[in-house]
Amino acid sequence: MSRISLSQFRLSASVLAITGALTACGESAGILPATVENAVDTATIYALTGTPIGTRSGFDIILGLPTRPEIGDNIDFAFDFDSAGTAILYPALLVGASSIAGFLRSTETFDEIERAPLEDYVADSVLTVTEGATFFARSRVTNLLCGAFFGSIPRYGKFEVLAIDPTERTITLKFMINLNCGYRDLTPGLPAS
């Protein structure tokens, strides 16, 4: 019986891992099958200015949670009021983070939206919002779940502004984010694509 070298073992393990991953891929753009159901959630985010530094003024689309912009690059957008008191959302690029995260205003209601577009997201200017406004958001790229074999892929979500409170300096959003690798379906349940 012959011994296999460590490099031969590593090569064999790599080939098996890649083969397994490719076999597990879904038909939609070579991504893994969906395992996380889409669900509606809400979050309240505090303004970047006029609130204590420890408040959550940003949003992480990848995890579907409000976040603190000052503690790292885990932000896809941030909330604030401009000098006229208008509610605005900053894409990550404008607060010193990822350049791919962006917005796309929607003319459909939250419930009418079924799928996120692939292109035309604005990543270099603010989005002004009012109560009832709906928009799509694309995350920064992530290696979570699928990046090891398929490269960095953003996540997509739909959002509706439920409330804007200038006194408390908050915005409350209803959202649905597809947490599956590369999927853009934004209807409740396990996505098909």
Side-chain angles (χ1 to χ4, degrees), residues 17-134:
I18 291 170
T19 302
L22 292 174
T23 302
C25 287
E27 65 182 85
S28 180
I31 51 181
L32 299 172
T35 58
V36 180
E37 291 192 6
N38 290 341
V40 174
D41 204 348
T42 60
T44 298
I45 304 169
Y46 291 83
L48 283 168
T49 58
T51 58
I53 196 165
T55 57
R56 298 183 185 276
S57 301
F59 195 83
D60 181 342
I61 296 171
I62 292 170
L63 297 178
L65 298 170
T67 188
R68 293 173 48 197
E70 76 276 7
I71 62 172
D73 193 30
N74 61 337
I75 180 173
D76 294 300
F77 64 85
F79 165 69
D80 207 354
F81 290 98
D82 67 13
S83 59
T86 304
I88 56 174
L89 299 175
Y90 288 97
L93 178 66
L94 297 184
V95 291
S98 168
S99 63
I100 188 175
F103 307 111
L104 182 59
R105 192 176 300 278
S106 177
T107 57
E108 297 178 287
T109 67
F110 185 86
D111 292 332
E112 289 173 337
I113 296 170
E114 294 185 352
R115 186 171 179 81
L118 188 58
E119 298 178 347
D120 299 326
Y121 290 84
V122 177
D124 60 356
S125 61
V126 298
L127 178 70
T128 59
V129 291
T130 57
E131 289 183 4
T134 56

Side-chain angles (χ1 to χ4, degrees), residues 146-160:
C146 53
F149 297 108
F150 304 107
S152 297
I153 298 173
R155 292 202 170 137
Y156 299 89
K158 63 179 177 178
F159 293 78
E160 179 182 355

